[in-house]
């Protein structure tokens, strides 16, 4: 029993009159709404009313209601052309862009149900959702499609197939789906170890939207900021509610969702009037310095709203609403306007056409003030769990309180106590499901993943608190054999397994290996007796205390934010238990202490006290990551991808495009903090240092290497040395990298013609930058060879040389370091003579890189690759290939060339310093 009677007492039973009164009370929420319509019909009605109004804005892009309608009609017809039948399912795997909204509407217009998939999820979780839901097609991008290489289904690529989709008619489609048909199938955490798909029908979605349109309320004058990932069911409200009232949706990008400062700026820039978010997102905003807006209507849900947070938000002005509801009853089942007060923030009465029943173990009503389990009935109850009839039968029971044939109640597992005026107090759970930072998590799913490891015989996960006082998942495991290696080895293997199966929010912050789990007298696991974690990740990792005043001040801030004592200055913030909310607190404290604000991106690329101190001491002149090894994506099931000679700060966006299954690490051996008396004087010696670093990081092949500019030359030599040592290199990708000394290996006549062709093309490119105001005329003239000869003639002998920075002064600033390294590598590379590499080169050339009859399309590498050179041309110039279409094409080209176990994409960093207009290797220096 959930609540056994006290000794000597008898169960509380309502008499028949009281029971009937309570049933009538619970059914007072009946409200008329257009239950005969579906979401596409409500949206199209709004299109006819205000076709030119802005419907969605994302970054610099926007679409009107007319454009959104036309684009979704075309995509819906493309689905039909591909043979997608009504009442089937279509997966949607897209990043946050206008195409995401187009795709969701298109699926609904085609009569199918959409299955939303988050690109950030591990491949294993995505593949399970696809295998379980069996979609007839998937809508995605070319770069994301590669993550689903084994998915046998029709794929519609909204980027590379856009011209094909645009040929379809933009005229409206006849209504296809009925109100009883599924609108979407969304996957939630499952206690059995596998996610389960909740199928929501159109009538439930329409009821929710119509209820929310009235309360909390939304009109065509509102501006809604959408900050929820598509895999979280509450995204349906913030994406679709604005579209049925004529409001504007501001679709926040991933970096804006995670960074409180960026989100604050987004709210201000668009003068937002409505936002729905979890408690942790509202806390992120407050930590970032947000002081509120009296016109902003704030919806808070996903987990219990702390009273302290409620009071802070109420001080910000505007309306504050507490939202409650499980996925199985369509997003929200109650909405309550919050008022200032004491005690827990209550759950409000049910929304329109929804009933709440608090029942005992026999599923009978309990009186007010008596705890019981909350059952929810009404039009919002889901169809059930997709393809899981037994699980559905256990959670969706017959509604015996209403005379509606087939009506169901969903048993929430939430223990509540009914109060006055239909309000309830949340008391806890009847099972081991938790809510953490807005996400619903079945601890049993985490335990199931841990038990997949062959050495683990028992596992348990619980909700605890990290040293900062924030909620955290703790996992405990028992091994079946004595571990010869340290526990950290097993823990590392478990973390890898968890990363391959679970999204980040479900992964334990601490894993403890025990000899046995504590037990109660009747043999059950005693969760209350589990020891507190003493993970080494929470302790100082070694003798690396702060050395200067900046590091000491930062260490004090870190200790306060993380709730730890002494912290190693080389310890990673996120490995010490840091997460998005703590990162927001850290940046706020740093800004208050130093007068400089470090962005979330900066924290990601400089996650140690040592690295952050350097950024602060350099005054933020230039973001530069000085670490030798930057693990932008440390985990994943694919073979590691290694970028040679480029700093991690410039690979950040690319690491996101690769997804969570592709580890990406950037290497830079020239860490200026390392004191060294001599520097390697040849490319071979430099590459040998990289090779040693690569082998230390990944001791066996196959190796996947990428490099841009001089990084391409170094990657070539590293690959050559690895192969010569008997190791396998499955990918060597080089981007805009000329073979050093290439011009000198041509015939005299061709060398002259190639040199002049190259010069004139560069001059033309630079002149176009002058005309477009990207470069001034003085800089253009200063870079010309004739100008440098004149400077030498009048006595400026160094007029043709880039300003040199001494080795001893390279660490004074990031710019100094860039200039020193640029000059050093240029001098070294000019003396390099490549040797034969017994492999294949994938060479990516930018469209604006000089080319033509006299220039080698293989950029001089053909003579040095016995496996040949495969050339692909991508949009942009030497630097802009890492933006826009060039980046998409680069990702597509490389992903098709990676070995069977992984895929690759590459990027580089912006080159500093002037550009000379000679062929002699100037383009291979960065």
């Amino acid at each position: 029993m959930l609540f056994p009677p006290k000794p000597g007492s008898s169960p509380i039973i309502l008499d028949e009159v009281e029971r009937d009164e309570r049933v009538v009370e619970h059914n007072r929420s009946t409200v008329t709404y257009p239950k005969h319509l579906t979401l596409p019909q409500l949206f199209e009605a709004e299109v006819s009313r205000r076709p030119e109004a802005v419907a969605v804005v994302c970054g610099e892009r926007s679409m009107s209601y007319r454009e959104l309608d036309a684009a979704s009609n075309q995509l819906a017809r493309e689905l039909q052309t591909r043979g997608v039948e009504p009442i089937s399912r279509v997966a949607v795997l897209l990043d946050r862009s206008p195409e995401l909204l187009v795709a969701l509407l298109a699926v609904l217009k085609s009569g199918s149900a959409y299955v939303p998939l988050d690109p950030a999820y591990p491949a294993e979780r995505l593949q399970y959702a696809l295998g379980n839901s069996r979609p007839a097609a998937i809508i995605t991008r070319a770069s994301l499609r590669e993550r689903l290489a084994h998915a046998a289904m029709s794929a519609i690529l909204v980027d590379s197939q856009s011209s094909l989709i645009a040929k379809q008619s933009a005229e409206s489609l006849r209504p296809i789906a009925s109100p009883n048909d599924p609108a979407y199938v969304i996957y939630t955490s499952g206690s059995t170890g596998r996610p389960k798909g909740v199928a929501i029908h159109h009538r439930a979605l329409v009821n929710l939207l119509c209820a929310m349109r009235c309360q909390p309320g939304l009109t065509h004058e509102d501006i809604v900021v959408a900050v929820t990932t598509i895999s979280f069911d509450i995204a349906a409200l913030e994406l679709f509610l604005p579209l049925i009232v004529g409001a504007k949706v501001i679709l926040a990008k991933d970096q804006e969702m995670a960074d409180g400062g960026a989100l604050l700026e987004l709210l201000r820039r668009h003068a937002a009037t409505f936002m729905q978010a979890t408690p942790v997102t509202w806390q992120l905003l407050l930590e970032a310095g947000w002081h509120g807006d009296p016109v902003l209507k704030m919806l808070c849900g996903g987990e219990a709203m702390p009273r302290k947070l409620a009071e802070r938000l109420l001080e910000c002005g505007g309306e504050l609403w507490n939202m409650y509801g499980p996925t199985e009853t369509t997003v929200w089942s109650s909405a309550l306007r919050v008022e200032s007060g004491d005690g827990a923030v209550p759950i409000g009465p049910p929304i329109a056409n929804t009933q709440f029943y608090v029942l005992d173990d026999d599923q009978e009503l309990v009186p007010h003030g008596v705890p019981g389990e909350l059952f929810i009935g009404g039009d919002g109850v889901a169809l059930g769990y997709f393809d899981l009839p037994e699980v559905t039968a256990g959670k969706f029971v017959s509604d015996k309180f209403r005379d509606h044939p087939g009506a169901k109640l969903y048993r929430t597992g939430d223990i509540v106590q009914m109060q006055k005026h239909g309000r309830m107090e949340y008391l806890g759970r009847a099972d081991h499901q938790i809510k953490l930072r807005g996400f619903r998590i079945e601890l049993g799913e985490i335990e199931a993943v841990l038990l997949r490891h062959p050495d683990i015989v028992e596992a348990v996960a619980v909700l605890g608190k990290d040293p900062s006082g924030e909620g955290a998942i703790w996992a405990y495991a028992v091994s079946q054999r004595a571990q010869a290696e340290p526990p950290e080895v097993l823990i590392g293997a478990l973390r890898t397994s968890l990363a391959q199966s679970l999204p980040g929010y479900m992964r334990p912050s601490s894993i403890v290996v025990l000899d046995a789990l504590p037990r109660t007298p009747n043999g059950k696991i005693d969760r209350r007796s589990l020891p507190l974690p003493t993970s080494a990740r929470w302790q100082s990792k070694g003798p690396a205390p702060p050395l200067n005043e900046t590091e000491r001040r930062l260490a004090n801030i870190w200790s306060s934010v993380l709730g730890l004592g002494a912290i190693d200055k080389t310890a990673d913030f996120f490995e010490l238990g840091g997460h998005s909310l703590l990162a927001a607190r850290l940046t706020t404290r740093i800004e208050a202490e130093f007068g400089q604000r470090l962005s979330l991106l900066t924290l990601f690329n400089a996650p140690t006290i040592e690295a952050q101190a350097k950024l602060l001491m350099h005054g933020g002149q230039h973001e530069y990551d000085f670490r030798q090894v930057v693990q932008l994506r440390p985990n994943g099931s694919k073979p590691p991808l290694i970028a040679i000679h480029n700093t991690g700060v410039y690979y950040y966006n690319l690491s996101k495009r690769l997804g969570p299954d592709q580890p990406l690490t950037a290497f830079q051996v020239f860490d200026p903090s390392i004191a060294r008396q001599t520097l390697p004087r040849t490319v071979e010696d430099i590459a040998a240092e990289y090779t040693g670093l690569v082998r230390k990081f990944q001791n066996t092949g196959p190796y996947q290497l990428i490099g841009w500019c001089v990084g391409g030359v170094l990657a070539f030599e590293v690959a050559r040395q690895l192969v010569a040592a008997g190791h396998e290199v499955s990918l060597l990708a080089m981007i805009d990298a000329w073979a050093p000394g290439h011009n000198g290996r041509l015939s005299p006549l061709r060398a002259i013609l190639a040199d002049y062709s190259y010069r004139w093309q560069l001059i033309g490119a630079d002149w176009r930058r002058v005309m477009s105001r990207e470069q001034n005329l003085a800089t253009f003239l200063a870079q010309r060879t004739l100008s440098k000869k004149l400077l030498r003639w009048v006595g400026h002998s160094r007029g043709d040389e880039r300003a040199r920075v001494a080795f001893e002064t390279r660490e004074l600033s990031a710019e100094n370091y860039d200039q020193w390294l640029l000059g050093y590598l240029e001098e070294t590379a000019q003396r390099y003579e490549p040797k034969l590499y017994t492999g294949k080169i994938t060479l990516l050339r930018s469209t604006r890189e000089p080319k033509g009859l006299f220039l080698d399309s293989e950029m001089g590498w053909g003579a040095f690759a016995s496996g040949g050179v495969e050339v692909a041309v991508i949009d942009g110039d030497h630097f802009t290939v890492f933006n826009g279409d060039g980046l998409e094409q680069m990702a597509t080209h490389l992903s098709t060339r990676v070995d069977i176990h992984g895929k690759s994409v590459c990027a580089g960093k912006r080159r500093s310093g002037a550009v000379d207009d000679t062929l002699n290797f100037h383009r291979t220096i960065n």
Side-chain angles (χ1 to χ4, degrees):
M1 294 182 67
L2 287 174
F3 302 100
K6 295 179 180 179
S9 66
S10 58
I12 302 175
I13 301 176
L14 298 176
D15 61 31
E16 188 172 341
V17 174
E18 291 176 315
R19 182 182 183 278
D20 290 342
E21 289 177 349
R22 293 291 305 282
V23 171
V24 171
E25 175 186 337
H26 285 295
N27 280 278
R28 287 175 180 169
S29 64
T30 302
V31 176
T32 301
Y33 70 100
K35 59 176 63 179
H36 61 292
L37 299 179
T38 61
L39 172 63
Q41 292 171 286
L42 296 178
F43 167 66
E44 288 164 357
E46 219 39 55
V47 173
S48 65
R49 279 191 281 268
R50 42 182 62 85
E52 301 308 319
V54 176
V56 58
V57 176
C58 185
E60 301 303 318
R61 300 177 58 197
S62 65
M63 296 182 77
S64 67
Y65 273 81
R66 177 182 55 78
E67 291 169 332
L68 182 58
D69 184 50
S72 57
N73 289 338
Q74 290 174 319
L75 185 52
R77 282 195 162 86
E78 181 64 24
L79 284 168
Q80 294 175 339
T81 301
R82 302 286 183 99
V84 177
E85 299 286 341
I87 321 180
S88 56
R89 291 158 303 284
V90 177
V92 176
L93 177 69
L94 288 171
D95 50 12
R96 296 180 69 81
S97 63
E99 286 79 16
L100 174 61
L101 203 47
V102 170
L104 299 179
L105 287 170
V107 175
L108 296 175
K109 288 183 176 185
S110 74
S112 297
Y114 67 84
V115 182
L117 301 176
D118 192 332
Y121 276 4
E124 181 181 317
R125 197 174 186 84
L126 295 178
Q127 295 291 359
Y128 175 80
L130 290 171
N132 181 256
S133 63
R134 303 185 297 280
I138 183 169
I139 301 174
T140 185
R141 293 187 185 276
S143 57
L144 294 172
R145 177 67 179 88
E146 296 302 322
R147 298 195 61 217
L148 306 171
H150 303 296
M153 68 190 75
S154 175
I156 300 178
L157 309 180
V158 296
D159 47 358
S160 60
Q161 297 177 353
S162 59
S163 58
L164 180 67
I165 299 169
K167 293 178 182 178
Q168 297 287 353
S169 170
E171 295 300 315
S172 297
L173 292 80
R174 66 174 181 82
I176 298 176
S178 78
N180 293 322
D181 291 337
Y184 62 82
V185 178
I186 193 163
Y187 281 79
T188 68
S189 181
S191 59
T192 61
R194 292 293 188 183
K196 50 185 184 287
V198 181
I200 300 294
H201 51 89
H202 279 271
R203 180 176 291 119
L205 182 57
V206 168
N207 179 68
L208 167 80
L209 298 177
C210 291
M212 295 292 103
R213 178 173 57 188
C214 298
Q215 192 180 57
L218 196 75
T219 73
H220 70 277
E221 297 179 343
D222 279 303
I223 300 170
V224 179
V225 170
V227 298
T228 309
T229 174
I230 189 62
S231 60
F232 197 172
D233 69 317
I234 69 175
L237 177 73
E238 58 194 32
L239 293 179
F240 297 143
L241 179 57
L243 298 185
I244 72 164
V245 301
K248 181 192 299 184
V249 179
I250 309 299
L251 191 60
K253 291 181 171 291
D254 289 333
Q255 59 269 32
E256 293 168 329
M257 294 162 55
D259 190 324
L263 182 56
L264 187 158
E265 177 57 30
L266 188 70
L267 289 171
R268 289 175 176 170
R269 183 165 73 250
H270 293 285
T273 63
F274 187 105
M275 191 175 91
Q276 164 193 259
T278 61
V280 69
T281 301
W282 288 114
Q283 290 181 54
L284 277 174
L285 265 176
L286 293 168
E287 297 286 350
W290 183 64
H291 299 296
D293 187 337
V295 303
L296 183 67
K297 188 173 291 184
M298 300 169 284
L299 275 61
C300 185
E303 61 182 308
M305 185 194 304
R307 170 55 69 178
K308 184 177 179 180
L309 174 63
E311 295 302 320
R312 289 190 66 185
L313 290 175
L314 287 170
E315 293 172 359
C316 292
E319 298 179 14
L320 173 62
W321 290 77
N322 186 30
M323 315 300 291
Y324 166 82
T327 302
E328 289 84 349
T329 58
T330 314
V331 186
W332 301 130
S333 298
S334 86
L336 176 71
R337 185 169 180 180
V338 180
E339 300 174 349
S340 183
D342 299 319
V345 178
I347 296 172
I351 65 171
N353 306 301
T354 301
Q355 296 83 42
F356 285 172
Y357 301 98
V358 183
L359 308 181
D360 61 18
D361 290 326
D362 296 322
Q363 296 185 15
E364 294 294 339
L365 290 166
V366 300
H368 287 314
V370 176
E373 182 178 358
L374 177 62
F375 287 63
I376 300 178
D379 290 2
V381 176
L383 295 171
Y385 297 117
F386 181 76
D387 207 20
L388 293 172
E390 293 182 359
V391 180
T392 298
K395 296 291 286 186
F396 295 85
V397 299
S398 296
D399 186 350
K400 63 183 180 181
F401 301 106
R402 291 193 303 156
D403 187 19
H404 289 275
K408 296 290 185 181
L409 294 177
Y410 172 68
R411 57 183 312 166
T412 66
D414 288 337
I415 307 304
V416 300
Q417 182 174 290
M418 189 68 73
Q419 300 174 333
K420 296 179 180 178
H421 310 298
R423 300 182 180 187
M424 295 180 298
E425 180 183 358
Y426 174 78
L427 301 177
R429 291 287 304 175
D431 54 21
H432 298 305
Q433 184 189 110
I434 65 168
K435 287 289 188 77
L436 181 63
R437 290 190 276 279
F439 291 100
R440 165 176 156 179
I441 300 170
E442 293 280 3
L443 294 174
E445 185 174 356
I446 301 171
E447 295 165 359
V449 174
L450 291 170
L451 287 169
R452 292 181 201 170
H453 191 284
D455 288 345
I456 301 303
V457 292
E458 284 190 300
V460 64
V462 299
L463 178 63
K465 288 187 177 182
D466 62 27
S468 68
E470 297 295 330
I473 299 173
W474 296 343
Y476 300 82
V478 176
S479 176
Q480 66 180 351
R481 61 185 178 88
Q483 296 293 314
E485 66 273 7
E488 289 75 16
V489 175
L490 176 59
I491 291 172
L494 292 174
R495 288 195 181 281
T496 299
S497 177
L498 291 163
Q500 292 172 354
S501 304
L502 302 177
Y505 65 84
M506 290 185 68
R507 299 172 199 163
S509 63
S510 178
I511 301 176
V512 180
V513 176
L514 300 174
D515 294 331
L517 296 176
R519 302 280 179 178
T520 62
N522 60 7
K524 294 183 178 181
I525 296 174
D526 187 355
R527 295 170 183 261
R528 294 183 180 180
S529 297
L530 290 165
L532 292 176
T534 56
S535 171
R537 299 184 314 114
W538 289 359
Q539 311 300 320
S540 177
K541 295 197 294 184
L547 295 180
N548 57 50
E549 182 61 24
T550 302
E551 290 181 353
R552 282 191 287 272
R553 290 160 68 189
L554 273 173
N556 289 335
I557 295 173
W558 277 46
S559 294
S560 174
V561 170
L562 292 170
L564 300 176
I567 298 177
D568 184 340
K569 71 171 185 177
T570 65
D572 188 295
F573 176 79
F574 299 100
E575 289 185 359
L576 292 173
H579 48 70
S580 56
L581 179 56
L582 294 181
R585 292 176 182 169
L586 183 67
T587 57
T588 301
R589 292 285 303 276
I590 289 174
E591 184 177 25
E593 177 74 17
F594 295 95
Q596 299 179 51
R597 187 172 188 85
L598 300 182
S599 67
L600 187 64
L601 169 60
T602 305
L603 257 63
F604 179 83
N605 290 291
T608 67
I609 291 173
E610 185 177 50
Q612 290 171 15
K614 287 178 179 177
L615 289 176
L616 294 169
M617 288 188 292
H618 296 148
Q621 299 172 33
H622 179 70
E623 281 198 341
Y624 198 92
D625 196 326
F626 291 108
R627 291 176 295 160
Q628 285 190 311
V629 179
V630 181
Q631 289 187 270
L632 293 169
R633 183 76 67 177
N635 300 313
S637 59
K638 308 290 185 184
L641 181 62
I642 296 173
I644 299 296
H645 181 61
N646 280 114
T647 56
V649 72
Y650 298 98
Y651 276 92
Y652 175 73
N653 289 331
L654 292 171
S655 70
K656 293 172 60 179
R657 290 176 182 271
L658 290 172
D661 281 346
Q662 178 60 74
L664 173 60
T665 301
F667 282 7
Q668 166 61 276
V669 301
F670 299 99
D671 184 342
S673 66
I674 298 177
R676 57 195 306 171
Q677 300 304 315
T678 60
L679 288 167
R681 303 308 304 169
T682 67
V683 167
E684 290 89 344
D685 291 342
I686 296 172
E689 291 200 14
Y690 274 109
T691 301
L693 201 57
V694 168
R695 291 294 315 285
K696 183 178 179 181
F697 175 76
Q698 181 186 342
N699 58 7
T700 60
Y703 294 98
Q704 300 184 149
L705 307 176
I706 61 175
W708 167 60
C709 207
V710 75
V713 178
L714 291 171
F716 172 89
E717 180 60 23
V718 170
R720 195 195 66 78
Q721 292 184 13
L722 285 170
V723 171
H727 303 289
E728 179 186 357
V729 175
S730 59
L731 174 70
L732 171 58
M734 300 161 63
I735 307 154
D736 269 2
W738 285 90
H742 164 61
N743 206 28
R745 288 186 286 272
L746 300 175
S747 66
L749 177 59
R750 185 176 178 184
I752 294 172
L753 294 173
D755 187 45
Y756 275 92
S757 174
Y758 198 96
R759 289 171 185 266
W760 284 109
Q761 289 187 57
L762 283 183
I763 290 172
D766 282 349
W767 181 249
R768 285 190 292 273
R769 280 191 282 270
V770 172
M771 298 303 293
S772 63
R773 300 182 184 274
E774 296 176 32
Q775 185 181 85
N776 59 46
L777 183 59
T779 301
F780 171 81
L781 293 174
Q783 291 178 359
R784 307 281 69 82
T785 300
L786 178 60
S787 301
K788 295 171 182 179
K789 288 181 178 179
L790 288 173
L791 286 170
R792 285 200 303 272
W793 184 71
V794 297
H796 292 272
S797 60
R798 297 178 61 85
D800 61 340
E801 298 180 9
R802 205 173 275 113
R804 301 301 186 196
V805 174
F807 175 81
E808 293 76 13
T809 62
R810 74 201 188 289
E811 199 180 358
L812 292 180
S813 73
E815 295 296 334
N816 264 26
Y817 183 79
D818 268 353
Q819 290 296 325
W820 164 76
L821 186 57
L822 187 64
Y824 164 71
L825 290 175
E826 181 177 36
E827 293 174 353
T828 306
Q830 285 174 348
R831 301 189 299 269
Y832 177 57
E833 180 65 28
K835 298 179 179 65
L836 183 66
Y837 166 62
T838 57
K840 178 181 178 181
I841 293 174
T842 295
L843 179 65
L844 301 182
R845 290 186 58 133
S846 59
T847 54
R848 298 181 195 171
E849 183 68 13
K851 54 187 176 294
L853 179 63
F854 307 110
L855 296 171
D856 184 3
S857 63
E858 295 180 349
M859 304 181 84
W861 291 108
F864 305 109
S866 63
V869 180
E870 184 179 33
V871 180
V873 180
I874 54 181
D875 288 342
D877 60 25
H878 187 63
F879 307 106
T880 60
V881 289
F882 302 107
N883 300 310
D885 292 340
L887 181 58
E888 291 289 342
Q889 294 162 8
M890 185 188 303
T892 301
H893 281 301
L894 290 175
S895 63
T896 60
R897 290 160 176 79
V898 170
D899 61 61
I900 193 171
H901 300 296
K903 69 176 185 296
S904 175
V905 70
C906 80
K909 72 181 185 66
R910 172 177 47 83
R911 175 182 172 188
S912 63
V915 179
D916 196 1
D917 58 345
T918 65
L919 179 60
N920 198 14
F921 196 67
H922 83 283
R923 282 289 192 181
T924 59
I925 302 302
N926 194 308

